[in-house]
Amino acid sequence: MLRISEHHRPGTLLLLAALLLALPHTLWAQDEALTDSKAPTGLTLEQERLGSRFERLEAVAARLAELAEKSEPEHAEQLRRAIKASREKGLAERFGSIVNLLETERLSAAATDQEELKAELELLLQVLLEDPNDSEREAMKRFLKGQIQELGKLIRQQRSLRNQNQEGADAKRLADKQSDVNESADDVQKALEENSEGGSESKSSESQGAEAQSGESQGAQSQGGEAPGSESQGGESQGGESQGGESQGGESQEGESPSGESQAQPPQESNDPIQKAAQRVAEARRAMEQAEKKLRDAKRNEAEAEQREAQRELEAARAELERILRQLREEEMERLLAKLVARFKEMLAKQQSIYEETVTIHEASSQASTRNLMLQTIRLSRREAELVRDAEKALTLLREDGTSIAFPETTEQIAEDMQSVTARLATGSAGPITQTVELDIIAGIQDMIGALEQARDELAQQQGSPPPPGEGGGGSPGESPLVPKLAELRMIRTLQARVYKRTQDLGGLADNPQVKPAELAAELEKLADRQERIFEATRDLNSDANR
């Protein structure tokens, strides 16, 4: 059973992920050295060290899986999956193969193998970064949404019955309908109890209790059979017990016996939020039963009071489930925002490094040979292509969340600019237009980081408080947006400001002899398309706000 309040990842997995993350970047640096068609001194030795580090990493992962088996079985299984994937693909052996290629100076083949190995290591990293509780959380969210909808139906039906009672509808017919609503509420109560943390424990306790009662009964019968000489006494004793049982049963029905009163009392409130909701539904059902009885006795006013109580308890149960769903959503948002901030910060550092090298290459272009210039820009192009993939992964996260409009649009524009820079660098262009687009990418990433960090801070401040109007609550099973509407509007304004700034920057390049008119016209055409998309995003945001 998923514990609602637990969502933190163990530090061991994050440490392994960090160690594994360093390997692809080291391979990438080696691959850059191979691009110059010469084997730098110590490259083979460095490759051997990487292989040794990876073998140690596998051994550490195996040991951690053993240690976490009892306390964290899900994460132990996650580590074993990563180890199995690594061994099935022979990743440790592939480090040795690359060493052999480097020793024989087969540099092109070594570079190809390093690219493939780097991709495999990144896939392995994703296995380590997966959250094993994600599927369970999603199942819990679907269950909660379904029960919230069912409770909404019950509340509408109960309200309708109360209104009909006030209007003087046929009491017997209303009693029959009240019974039907009670049966539907019983289904909801059972579903909630089965999915609560104590559901399985309760079933186990009931089973053990039934077995104990059965054993006592058999023991009593056995003792009665072993004492034939005291048959009369045994009979009197059994008869007395039987009578006592009948008496207790009768008193229980009338509510006069202390034990009967104890059984009629509602159960103590549970700490499990789903069980709390189930108890609320149970209270609603008790009120429904009383309302049905009063209706059959033609006591409309008393029945109306019970119907009102039943509706109140159902609404409280729904509010409890909405609170749980909102908490799950807040935890999901917290993880997603942290992941996005980390990803964009990494992208920012890489993009700033690429920009600085682009400027350096352009400034030295008059003195460098065409071949060296092309090799350097191609190397930068490959690094920019890596950034495109990073941006697309961030875009996928935002689209899968599905609650934001401006933030996915911003990320998509950043990815498109990165693709443009990749293409320009691949052709040896490190001039003013390339640098202008790179600066715009940097500004866009900085805007995203600032907005996401602000959204994360606001989420931390509002956690546990009721949702703002129009953002969940009120019986709607919809999810709170990842970022508030105000943040969306600010991002739209930022997008518009960047279009304006780039328009000015491109206008300033019109008289630059290094800029071809055709290139400038192509960039302006892209800006026109971007302006149209900003308009569409603004329209969609407005439509969503008025929905």
Side-chain angles (χ1 to χ4, degrees):
M1 171 59 61
L2 174 67
R3 294 184 181 273
I4 303 300
S5 61
E6 294 180 0
H7 62 277
H8 296 291
R9 309 291 304 282
T12 51
L13 281 183
L14 294 180
L15 177 60
L16 280 175
L19 292 172
L20 185 59
L21 183 61
L23 294 177
H25 289 293
T26 310
L27 286 172
W28 182 34
Q30 289 186 351
D31 194 36
E32 281 193 349
L34 292 175
T35 305
D36 293 333
S37 300
K38 57 183 179 181
T41 305
L43 193 57
T44 302
L45 180 59
E46 178 64 23
Q47 186 68 44
E48 291 176 342
R49 289 172 179 167
L50 281 178
S52 298
R53 285 172 58 189
F54 185 79
E55 289 176 358
R56 288 197 299 271
L57 189 64
E58 271 195 345
V60 170
R63 179 57 179 158
L64 287 174
E66 293 177 6
L67 295 174
E69 181 62 42
K70 292 183 179 180
S71 60
E72 298 170 345
E74 300 92 348
H75 293 98
E77 177 60 27
Q78 190 175 6
L79 286 168
R80 283 194 292 268
R81 284 203 314 271
I83 296 169
K84 181 180 178 182
S86 170
R87 290 174 178 172
E88 285 179 349
K89 296 177 180 179
L91 298 187
E93 292 78 8
R94 291 174 68 174
F95 280 95
S97 299
I98 296 174
V99 170
N100 293 333
L101 292 173
L102 291 172
E103 288 176 342
T104 56
E105 297 189 2
R106 297 167 62 188
L107 304 185
S108 177
T112 301
D113 282 9
Q114 283 181 336
E115 281 289 333
E116 294 176 356
L117 181 56
K118 182 176 67 173
E120 294 291 352
L121 289 173
E122 288 174 347
L123 291 175
L124 190 62
L125 178 64
Q126 294 305 313
V127 174
L128 278 177
L129 291 177
E130 286 176 359
D131 191 337
N133 290 325
D134 276 349
S135 59
E136 194 173 353
R137 288 192 190 97
E138 287 302 315
M140 176 59 73
K141 286 170 61 179
R142 287 193 298 271
F143 168 75
L144 291 172
K145 289 178 181 179
Q147 296 308 308
I148 288 171
Q149 290 178 344
E150 290 300 317
L151 284 169
K153 292 178 185 177
L154 291 174
I155 291 169
R156 290 191 295 272
Q157 292 171 352
Q158 190 61 52
R159 185 187 300 118
S160 175
L161 288 177
R162 184 167 60 85
N163 291 337
Q164 292 178 54
N165 183 28
Q166 290 174 336
E167 293 169 0
D170 182 70
K172 184 179 182 303
R173 185 175 61 84
L174 288 178
D176 292 339
K177 288 185 177 181
Q178 186 67 77
S179 177
D180 293 339
V181 174
N182 194 4
E183 290 181 6
S184 299
D186 182 45
D187 294 336
V188 173
Q189 181 185 346
K190 289 177 179 176
L192 292 173
E193 289 173 344
E194 289 173 359
N195 282 272
S196 66
E197 288 182 8
S200 58
E201 296 175 5
S202 175
K203 291 180 181 179
S204 175
S205 299
E206 290 175 4
S207 174
Q208 292 175 2
E211 291 174 2
Q213 289 178 4
S214 174
E216 291 173 2
S217 174
Q218 291 176 3
Q221 292 176 4
S222 175
Q223 290 175 6
E226 290 173 5
S230 59
E231 190 173 310
S232 173
Q233 294 178 0
E236 289 174 3
S237 174
Q238 290 176 5
E241 290 176 3
S242 175
Q243 291 171 6
E246 290 174 4
S247 173
Q248 288 177 5
E251 289 172 358
S252 175
Q253 291 177 1
E254 295 175 6
E256 295 174 3
S257 167
S259 62
E261 288 177 4
S262 175
Q263 292 176 3
Q265 290 293 326
Q268 292 184 351
E269 188 169 329
S270 169
N271 291 326
D272 175 21
I274 296 182
Q275 184 61 34
K276 286 182 182 179
Q279 290 173 355
R280 289 289 195 177
V281 177
E283 290 299 317
R285 292 189 59 235
R286 291 188 185 93
M288 290 178 191
E289 290 172 359
Q290 290 300 315
E292 179 187 349
K293 182 179 179 181
K294 302 297 184 184
L295 285 169
R296 295 194 189 283
D297 293 340
K299 299 179 180 178
R300 289 185 178 274
N301 290 338
E302 296 179 19
E304 194 272 336
E306 296 292 349
Q307 288 176 323
R308 186 183 298 276
E309 178 64 18
Q311 180 181 333
R312 187 160 44 240
E313 292 292 345
L314 290 174
E315 289 171 346
R318 182 177 65 179
E320 187 67 35
L321 295 187
E322 287 174 344
R323 186 187 66 79
I324 301 169
L325 184 60
R326 188 164 59 250
Q327 183 179 348
L328 283 174
R329 173 59 180 164
E330 287 174 352
E331 292 173 359
E332 179 184 49
M333 290 163 61
E334 183 181 354
R335 290 190 301 272
L336 180 55
L337 287 170
K339 187 183 296 186
L340 287 169
V341 168
R343 187 178 294 275
F344 277 103
K345 283 185 174 180
E346 184 180 359
M347 289 163 55
L348 177 62
K350 292 178 181 178
Q351 187 63 66
Q352 287 173 331
S353 174
I354 291 173
Y355 169 71
E356 291 169 1
E357 291 188 42
T358 302
V359 173
T360 301
I361 290 171
H362 179 64
E363 290 175 349
S365 59
S366 59
Q367 301 175 353
S369 66
T370 303
R371 181 179 180 278
N372 287 337
L373 176 65
M374 182 63 73
L375 285 174
Q376 292 175 25
T377 56
I378 287 176
R379 187 161 58 239
L380 285 183
S381 175
R382 294 171 66 180
R383 288 169 57 186
E384 191 72 37
E386 292 281 345
L387 275 181
V388 173
R389 286 190 282 273
D390 290 342
E392 288 174 346
K393 290 176 183 176
L395 180 59
T396 298
L397 291 174
L398 287 165
R399 284 177 172 168
E400 286 178 349
D401 178 75
T403 62
S404 174
I405 295 173
F407 281 64
E409 176 62 32
T410 304
T411 306
E412 187 173 3
Q413 290 187 14
I414 290 173
E416 290 173 355
D417 284 343
M418 288 176 174
Q419 289 172 341
S420 175
V421 170
T422 300
R424 297 184 65 81
L425 289 173
T427 60
S429 176
I433 290 183
T434 302
Q435 294 174 31
T436 296
V437 178
E438 286 177 344
L439 284 173
D440 206 28
I441 293 171
I442 291 171
I445 296 174
Q446 289 172 334
D447 290 337
M448 284 293 293
I449 292 172
L452 290 169
E453 286 182 331
Q454 183 174 353
R456 187 175 59 180
D457 292 342
E458 292 174 356
L459 176 64
Q461 292 174 3
Q462 72 182 25
Q463 276 186 342
S465 61
E471 294 186 6
S476 171
E479 294 185 339
S480 300
L482 181 65
V483 292
K485 289 291 185 290
L486 183 59
E488 295 264 47
L489 288 172
R490 286 196 294 259
M491 187 56 69
I492 291 287
R493 182 186 63 186
T494 300
L495 287 174
Q496 186 61 59
R498 285 189 14 230
V499 167
Y500 172 73
K501 182 179 182 303
R502 190 181 294 191
T503 302
Q504 287 186 315
D505 291 342
L506 293 176
L509 297 176
D511 298 329
N512 192 321
Q514 297 179 342
V515 177
K516 298 178 181 179
E519 290 180 328
L520 193 59
E523 291 299 319
L524 290 172
E525 188 175 346
K526 291 178 184 177
L527 268 186
D529 176 67
R530 186 160 295 183
Q531 182 65 67
E532 176 66 22
R533 285 163 52 186
I534 293 174
F535 164 73
E536 292 174 356
T538 307
R539 181 190 59 198
D540 293 344
L541 187 61
N542 180 63
S543 300
D544 183 65
N546 295 329
R547 192 170 300 163

